[in-house]
Amino acid sequence: MSTRQSTDIVIIGAGPSGSVAAGLLRKAGREVVIIERETFPRFSIGESLLPQSMEYIEKAGFLQDVVQAGFQYKNGAAFARGADRTAFDFREKFSPGWGTTYQVQRAHFDHVLANGAAKAGADIRYRHTVLAADVGGARPVLTVRGEDDRVYEIEANFLLDASGFGRTLPRLLDLETPSDFPVRGAIFTHIEDGIPAGVFDRNKILITVHPEHHDVWYWLIPFSNGRCSIGVVAERDFLSQYQGDDTGRLKAIVFEDAGLAELLKQARWDTPARTLTGYAANVKSLHGNRFALLGNAGEFLDPVFSSGVTIAVKSADLAVNALLREAAGETVDWEQAYAKPLKKGVDTFRAFVTAWYDGRFQKIIFHKDKNPQIEAMISSILAGYAWDEANPYVAKPERRLSSLEAACALFD
């Protein structure tokens, strides 16, 4: 028979959303237990942060830890399509706030945040796996298998699912629903890039469009140690054309682009590639009886604009704000206080992702004549400020993007 424990807040997952939520809650004096099924450090994808995320890292008390970790400085994003080149400097943006951030090896970055949460007083239980969840009563109860294989129950006043692609509560509570995006996949790895000094701006992520297929793209994320993350994203049918192991398939696709082939001609491909397919996900609801879903546990769009960590830490901040309002005696409508505000930014990113794949956004950013004011507004979105409704491209993203694309077409 399992034993039952009791705590204030249980968080599933010690990734960025879970650790930031824990840091914020501990600052408010709340008791926090984090159930994490893996041992840190562990590999994760999503390595190019956006400046907006720094606000929440700082708010949670982890800024000094991140700054001192030695990650690659990042001030913007560069885009390439054949001979076309363009770049955005996030310091030249419409919205106030952070204009720089880092490009990080997520194994190290996530461990830095988790250690910060532990130093703040969160009880992190590594190699503990959630087996079942009961959210039908006054307090949610998880059934957990510990590192020693003993099974126990833990009940809490509130439950936050920060399990990322593990999507613990959506699976256990039948909350998953199909994404409206096509099924895409990614092949990626870390390499010793061998890029000579001075020929490439390591302070920016490089997004490259495939020379023949505008909906196929590559990322190159430089790290501070002469290595980089390299990957390709495409629909499943495109990726299935390539034979061999994942590393061979990735190299074959990367070298189809002349610019990347030249840039990486001295690279050492020393790490086996990985694949991720069908990553886009959605849920029926982001909250329920005494629980909420954070970050990728709720919805993941696409990696093209590196929005994942920013959405994750923004969701942590919104959820903790709602919890603290409840603790102060307010009756909180979680749809209005959490789900709708979070979805506003997610829907902004969604409009930009859709416009990227249908070609409208590419036409805009590679257009020769750019309006500096509009460029600053778009730079804000790319820097993660997707919740700043003073920005017209947040207030009405789909309409603004379509109008701008049409205007670009007039001058072609």
Side-chain angles (χ1 to χ4, degrees):
M1 183 176 180
S2 62
T3 58
R4 177 169 291 195
Q5 304 171 12
S6 180
T7 191
D8 183 7
I9 310 292
V10 167
I11 300 173
I12 305 172
S17 61
S19 292
V20 166
L24 295 170
L25 287 164
R26 287 299 303 146
K27 277 193 164 186
R30 305 294 290 269
E31 183 183 29
V32 178
V33 173
I34 301 179
I35 306 297
E36 170 54 56
R37 70 179 181 181
E38 298 191 46
T39 301
F40 280 27
R42 53 90 179 97
F43 182 86
S44 184
I45 202 66
E47 299 134 326
S48 194
L49 306 183
L50 302 184
Q52 167 77 105
S53 64
M54 300 301 290
E55 174 184 340
Y56 306 107
I57 291 169
E58 182 177 27
K59 189 174 179 181
F62 305 150
L63 180 59
Q64 183 175 352
D65 296 327
V66 171
V67 169
Q68 292 179 342
F71 297 119
Q72 171 65 49
Y73 172 81
K74 176 186 175 184
N75 62 20
F79 295 87
R81 185 184 63 185
D84 297 329
R85 298 287 186 275
T86 192
F88 290 84
D89 188 325
F90 293 157
R91 296 165 296 185
E92 300 169 0
K93 58 180 172 46
F94 173 85
S95 303
W98 282 80
T100 62
T101 184
Y102 297 98
Q103 298 181 142
V104 301
Q105 296 94 327
R106 282 286 302 278
H108 184 29
F109 174 74
D110 289 11
H111 201 197
V112 167
L113 296 189
N115 285 343
K119 285 189 293 183
D123 175 6
I124 304 183
R125 302 179 182 181
Y126 292 108
R127 298 185 64 79
H128 285 230
T129 303
V130 176
L131 304 177
D134 181 356
V135 296
R139 304 182 82 210
V141 179
L142 296 180
T143 303
V144 180
R145 183 176 62 239
E147 187 176 11
D148 57 4
D149 283 335
R150 293 182 183 178
V151 175
Y152 64 93
E153 293 179 335
I154 184 165
E155 65 176 5
N157 293 317
F158 206 91
L159 175 59
L160 296 174
D161 185 354
S163 58
F165 289 120
R167 300 171 63 76
T168 300
L169 289 188
R171 288 188 296 101
L172 294 176
L173 302 179
D174 191 28
L175 298 174
E176 294 184 302
T177 188
S179 170
D180 54 4
F181 282 135
V183 177
R184 296 188 176 96
I187 313 175
F188 50 90
T189 190
H190 290 180
I191 61 175
E192 184 180 306
D193 57 64
I195 301 173
V199 302
F200 176 67
D201 185 357
R202 300 190 74 89
N203 296 331
K204 293 178 176 64
I205 182 176
L206 173 62
I207 301 295
T208 302
V209 182
H210 188 276
E212 297 179 16
H213 305 277
H214 77 264
D215 61 340
V216 177
W217 61 276
Y218 313 87
W219 77 72
L220 195 160
I221 302 171
F223 297 137
S224 60
N225 59 355
R227 299 181 66 80
C228 75
S229 175
I230 181 75
V232 62
V233 174
E235 291 193 26
R236 188 164 46 189
D237 288 346
F238 177 88
L239 297 176
S240 67
Q241 301 174 74
Y242 296 83
Q243 304 301 312
D245 63 18
D246 290 334
T247 303
R249 294 166 65 210
L250 176 58
K251 289 178 71 174
I253 302 171
V254 166
F255 289 143
E256 287 179 356
D257 181 79
L260 287 176
E262 176 64 22
L263 205 57
L264 299 176
K265 64 184 180 182
Q266 298 181 46
R268 191 163 65 92
W269 297 69
D270 54 2
T271 306
R274 300 171 182 242
T275 61
L276 185 62
T277 304
Y279 47 73
N282 206 345
V283 290
K284 299 170 186 174
S285 176
L286 289 171
H287 61 93
N289 181 37
R290 308 305 298 162
F291 74 87
L293 310 178
L294 306 184
N296 293 349
E299 181 171 7
F300 182 75
L301 298 173
D302 191 271
V304 66
F305 298 124
S306 305
S307 60
V309 171
T310 297
I311 292 172
V313 295
K314 174 70 174 182
S315 71
D317 184 63
L318 286 170
V320 170
N321 284 342
L323 283 170
L324 297 184
R325 286 171 55 194
E326 283 188 340
E330 290 186 47
T331 299
V332 173
D333 180 338
W334 276 78
E335 187 65 19
Q336 296 298 322
Y338 177 67
K340 283 191 175 180
L342 182 59
K343 286 178 180 177
K344 178 61 183 176
V346 172
D347 286 344
T348 300
F349 282 123
R350 187 194 313 279
F352 274 69
V353 169
T354 299
W356 170 266
Y357 282 106
D358 66 25
R360 286 176 295 153
F361 188 69
Q362 295 180 32
K363 184 178 290 187
I364 290 167
I365 63 172
F366 289 116
H367 199 268
K368 294 174 184 174
D369 299 315
K370 295 186 177 68
N371 179 308
Q373 185 179 18
I374 293 175
E375 194 169 16
M377 292 174 181
I378 292 175
S379 185
S380 284
I381 306 298
L382 298 180
Y385 292 89
W387 291 266
D388 177 15
E389 295 200 55
N391 185 343
Y393 286 84
V394 172
K396 296 180 179 178
E398 183 62 37
R399 193 167 107 186
R400 289 281 180 170
L401 284 167
S402 293
S403 297
L404 184 55
E405 186 264 345
C408 288
L410 287 175
F411 292 99
D412 283 341

